[in-house]
Amino acid sequence: MKELSNRWWSLLALALALGAALALLAPAGAGAAERKFKTKSCIDCHQKAADKFKEAKYAHAAVKEQKCESCHLRHGTSGKLLLKQTGNALCYSCHKKESIGMDKPVVHKVLRTGECTKCHDPHGSKAPHFLKAEGAEACFGCHQREPFQRKTVHAVLKDGCGSCHAAHASTVKDLLKSEQSKLCAGCHQSNASFQKAHGGYPVTTCTNCHDPHSSDGPKLLRGSLHNPVATQSCEACHASPKSPKPFAVQAKGAQLCEGCHDAKAFAGKVQHAPVKKGECLSCHDPHGSAAPKLARAAGAKLCQTCHKRFAEPAAVQHKPMTSPQGCASCHQPHASGNAKLLKVPAEQICASCHGKVKEQAAKKKVMHAAFAAGDCGACHDPHGASTRNLFKARVDRVCYSCHRDAETRFVKVRTHRPVQDGNCTACHDGHASDNPKLLKAQGSKLCEGCHAQLFTAAPEGGTTHKPFGEGKCLDCHDPHGSNAPGMARSEQKTLCLGCHAATGKELAGATSVHPAFAKGSCTGCHSPHRSKLKRLLLTSPPDLCFACHKPVKERLGKEKAHAPASDCLTCHKPHASAQPSLVAGPVGEVCAQCHDVTDKTFSGSHLGIDPKAIRCVSCHDPHASKDGKLFKVNQHAPFASRQCDACHVASK
């Protein structure tokens, strides 16, 4: 019976334990339900954006259906454009590449570089196809307006560029919707009027003579027209319009051009390569051009088709290169008597714009050799450069190209900042100067430009280092670089003793030398330029000395100080001494300057010992002591009780 009772209680306890466990695992009721995440739509936060999208006449399907997550990620970094993919890859998830022409040979640049949103608003727009603007305005975001808005405008432009061009891709050059002849024939029929206007020639290529967008002349004729075209004298160059080959020319190459243009005008010591080869059409269009003189492109762009190096964008551009004349500002296009087809010798070319530079330099005493020789190109790139003032490279690299030994002499452990930065022109004038070595100023006046704080007015009663006062900075410093601190011409000790020879003589026979002086650290105590104190000291003794002798300073503050300790130089020499511890002379003689050794009291206190035989510092501390008489802390017992005769016998 007892056994049954125990089993019953065990089962009851197990049931209670299971109940408690289930209670813990069960939902926490209504309170837990409230803590669950509630789904919110993007519009709940981005209401302003949603209102804006509603105004769009044409809305992206995903926007209409509020399926923002078709393109955007729900979570991510705040403030970022959280797209599922970058660039056009996102668009391609719905718009297949082939459907927008990515498989065609000519693809619109913005499409090719993955920038659909340059033209389209991804949410919606008032213009068809979600374009950010209507008609040609959509294209003017990248393409300049001017060429499309001249006096006479092609009629189809009122409907936008899409009248002739494909927006995404094409099989034809310039994104044309079809070959030029077919495209133009769609509006311009080859009727009697057309035939008359073109001299009976079966013209199919319209853009040789007409600008397809706009023109300042009638009938969209290009701004620069070949005279036979302007006068409808096509037969001056071509065969008869009725011949089997109406567009055949009457002579080949330059021979055809020489029928009107005198060949002597293109002769010269140096000929442009296409002229020499008789390839006039390399540069000129035989019918018409938007550029002056029938050039195939305007300004420098024409030359850059062959001279591709100059097509690379330069950080600093030479003004003529960006002018309407371009290269022709300095060069003859056909032939010249000067090197590189220059219109006049190089120095004259530069002086035609930079006349003041040449005029001012002529008045100076010293002229840069390259400038005097008129070789501006030795230092400057006349086309464009990545450095200021059109220097061919960083200034120091330009200078080292002639001054080849300078780099190894200048670049040292300590290098002058302008040299380190490659800025030789901080100190030197690149053209001419009234000062030696093309310096911009003489002496310290040059240094003041950067080191103005050193040249403030001298304090009254202070001292100025003689070379510094006379503006002779280079007596002590190397202007380019040095292996010594402070860019000194040599290590300090050698440099200073070059003038202060008397101080150097103190080293002869010296028993003790000031460690700072021994290391050559003169500027540890002296200012190399000027000071409010005598001897160019940085601070007054004893503070100057305490900078190193800190234990002495601590003792002087806590113990009875020896009066002369307030001026260390009363007893010590600053550089070297024949005595230990830099003492100015034999200890007895130094002490006798203040203490009367002939006084009876002195004699009585020292057992009548001859003062010359006494070494004061054997018993007394020369700086400070807790004892009133400056006795040392550790004393021999008989001495402490003043019983010197316990050990010594005083001679009478």
Side-chain angles (χ1 to χ4, degrees):
M1 187 72 178
K2 187 177 181 181
E3 199 174 302
L4 268 172
S5 178
N6 287 338
R7 187 178 297 172
W8 187 87
W9 282 110
S10 297
L11 289 169
L12 180 62
L14 179 62
L16 289 170
L18 285 169
L22 288 170
L24 287 171
L25 293 171
E34 289 175 3
R35 289 196 296 271
K36 284 184 178 180
F37 284 115
K38 289 183 177 179
T39 302
K40 293 178 73 176
S41 71
C42 302
I43 307 304
D44 289 341
C45 293
H46 302 282
Q47 187 60 52
K48 285 184 180 179
D51 292 342
K52 181 184 173 184
F53 302 153
K54 284 178 184 177
E55 296 173 4
K57 185 177 178 181
Y58 302 92
H60 197 185
V63 174
K64 275 183 181 178
E65 298 167 15
Q66 293 189 9
K67 293 182 178 179
C68 307
E69 290 176 73
S70 297
C71 301
H72 295 279
L73 292 170
R74 177 175 282 269
H75 301 108
T77 309
S78 179
K80 295 284 185 182
L81 186 64
L82 305 173
L83 294 173
K84 286 185 172 181
Q85 295 183 73
T86 57
N88 291 3
L90 180 62
C91 303
Y92 294 152
S93 61
C94 294
H95 306 279
K96 301 304 177 188
K97 291 184 179 183
E98 296 76 14
S99 68
I100 54 176
M102 286 299 290
D103 57 340
K104 292 181 179 177
V106 183
V107 179
H108 195 182
K109 185 180 177 181
V110 288
L111 183 61
R112 192 173 66 248
T113 54
E115 298 176 283
C116 298
T117 53
K118 275 270 189 180
C119 303
H120 301 282
D121 188 305
H123 298 106
S125 167
K126 292 180 180 180
H129 309 296
F130 313 143
L131 288 171
K132 289 184 174 180
E134 294 188 77
E137 288 297 322
C139 303
F140 291 153
C142 296
H143 302 277
Q144 290 184 346
R145 294 172 176 271
E146 291 74 16
F148 302 89
Q149 297 180 339
R150 290 186 283 245
K151 189 176 178 181
T152 306
V153 179
H154 195 181
V156 293
L157 272 179
K158 69 178 185 296
D159 297 322
C161 307
S163 299
C164 300
H165 298 279
H168 295 124
S170 173
T171 56
V172 184
K173 183 184 175 184
D174 297 325
L175 288 171
L176 290 176
K177 287 186 170 181
S178 61
E179 291 294 339
Q180 189 182 129
S181 57
K182 292 180 182 178
L183 186 64
C184 297
C187 296
H188 305 280
Q189 301 299 318
S190 183
N191 51 29
S193 175
F194 181 91
Q195 291 295 323
K196 183 180 178 182
H198 295 87
Y201 282 89
V203 176
T204 56
T205 307
C206 308
T207 54
N208 282 344
C209 303
H210 300 278
D211 191 300
H213 302 115
S214 72
S215 169
D216 286 324
K219 299 180 180 179
L220 290 172
L221 286 169
R222 291 192 177 275
S224 176
L225 283 178
H226 197 188
N227 184 262
V229 174
T231 58
Q232 292 187 326
S233 305
C234 305
E235 290 183 60
C237 301
H238 294 284
S240 168
K242 295 180 180 179
S243 70
K245 295 181 179 179
F247 293 114
V249 290
Q250 295 183 8
K252 291 183 178 180
Q255 290 179 357
L256 178 63
C257 302
E258 287 170 7
C260 296
H261 303 280
D262 189 355
K264 292 179 181 177
F266 308 118
K269 184 179 177 182
V270 181
Q271 271 191 319
H272 194 190
V275 175
K276 202 171 186 177
K277 296 175 184 177
E279 297 173 351
C280 306
L281 301 190
S282 294
C283 302
H284 299 283
D285 190 295
H287 299 105
S289 171
K293 298 182 179 179
L294 293 170
R296 289 193 176 273
K301 288 184 179 178
L302 174 65
C303 304
Q304 288 164 359
T305 56
C306 291
H307 305 279
K308 298 189 186 299
R309 180 172 72 87
F310 303 120
E312 295 174 8
V316 182
Q317 292 185 322
H318 195 190
K319 194 174 179 180
M321 287 289 287
T322 57
S323 71
Q325 278 189 295
C327 306
S329 301
C330 302
H331 300 277
Q332 291 284 13
H334 300 113
S336 171
N338 303 296
K340 299 178 181 177
L341 288 170
L342 289 172
K343 289 182 173 181
V344 293
E347 68 273 18
Q348 293 178 35
I349 280 281
C350 299
S352 64
C353 292
H354 306 283
K356 284 187 179 179
V357 176
K358 188 174 182 180
E359 186 181 325
Q360 290 169 359
K363 299 174 184 177
K364 305 290 184 182
K365 295 177 183 177
V366 183
M367 195 175 287
H368 192 190
F371 186 77
D375 189 8
C376 305
C379 303
H380 302 283
D381 190 312
H383 301 105
S386 58
T387 52
R388 60 185 177 84
N389 297 331
L390 292 171
F391 282 114
K392 294 169 85 171
R394 201 174 83 156
V395 179
D396 59 338
R397 297 289 115 196
V398 174
C399 298
Y400 293 150
S401 65
C402 291
H403 305 279
R404 298 184 189 282
D405 63 326
E407 186 170 11
T408 53
R409 289 190 289 112
F410 293 171
V411 181
K412 300 290 180 66
V413 176
R414 277 98 178 169
T415 303
H416 195 190
R417 183 62 180 270
V419 177
Q420 188 176 335
D421 293 343
N423 187 15
C424 306
T425 54
C427 301
H428 301 277
D429 193 296
H431 298 121
S433 172
D434 283 326
N435 305 305
K437 299 180 180 178
L438 291 169
L439 290 171
K440 290 186 171 180
Q442 286 188 325
S444 61
K445 291 294 179 186
L446 181 63
C447 305
E448 281 182 42
C450 296
H451 306 283
Q453 76 279 6
L454 294 175
F455 295 91
T456 52
E460 190 176 343
T463 49
T464 299
H465 194 192
K466 188 179 178 183
F468 182 74
E470 293 174 353
K472 297 178 179 177
C473 304
L474 301 189
D475 280 7
C476 300
H477 299 284
D478 189 298
H480 299 109
S482 170
N483 291 328
M487 286 184 59
R489 287 194 171 276
S490 60
E491 56 92 15
Q492 280 188 35
K493 188 174 178 181
T494 304
L495 181 65
C496 298
L497 293 181
C499 293
H500 303 280
T503 304
K505 290 178 181 178
E506 293 179 22
L507 290 170
T511 300
S512 57
V513 179
H514 194 185
F517 182 62
K519 289 191 298 182
S521 183
C522 305
T523 54
C525 301
H526 302 279
S527 169
H529 301 113
R530 59 166 48 125
S531 170
K532 296 178 181 179
L533 307 170
K534 293 181 179 180
R535 301 188 188 92
L536 290 168
L537 292 175
L538 295 173
T539 57
S540 302
D543 291 335
L544 180 63
C545 304
F546 289 160
C548 294
H549 302 284
K550 290 180 174 62
V552 176
K553 180 182 180 180
E554 290 175 7
R555 289 181 55 215
L556 287 171
K558 296 176 182 178
E559 302 172 4
K560 176 180 172 59
H562 189 194
S566 62
D567 184 0
C568 307
L569 298 182
T570 303
C571 303
H572 298 282
K573 285 191 171 184
H575 300 111
S577 173
Q579 305 296 323
S581 303
L582 291 171
V583 177
V587 174
E589 292 179 13
V590 172
C591 296
Q593 293 178 82
C594 299
H595 302 281
D596 187 358
V597 296
T598 61
D599 183 71
K600 289 182 180 180
T601 304
F602 181 90
S603 181
S605 299
H606 295 83
L607 302 178
I609 299 171
D610 184 357
K612 293 180 180 178
I614 297 173
R615 180 168 174 76
C616 308
V617 293
S618 296
C619 303
H620 300 280
D621 191 299
H623 298 113
S625 172
K626 293 178 181 178
D627 184 86
K629 298 291 185 181
L630 294 172
F631 284 118
K632 292 183 176 180
V633 175
N634 298 316
Q635 299 178 17
H636 191 199
F639 177 76
S641 59
R642 306 297 184 263
Q643 295 177 353
C644 303
D645 54 357
C647 301
H648 297 279
V649 177
S651 57
K652 301 273 182 147

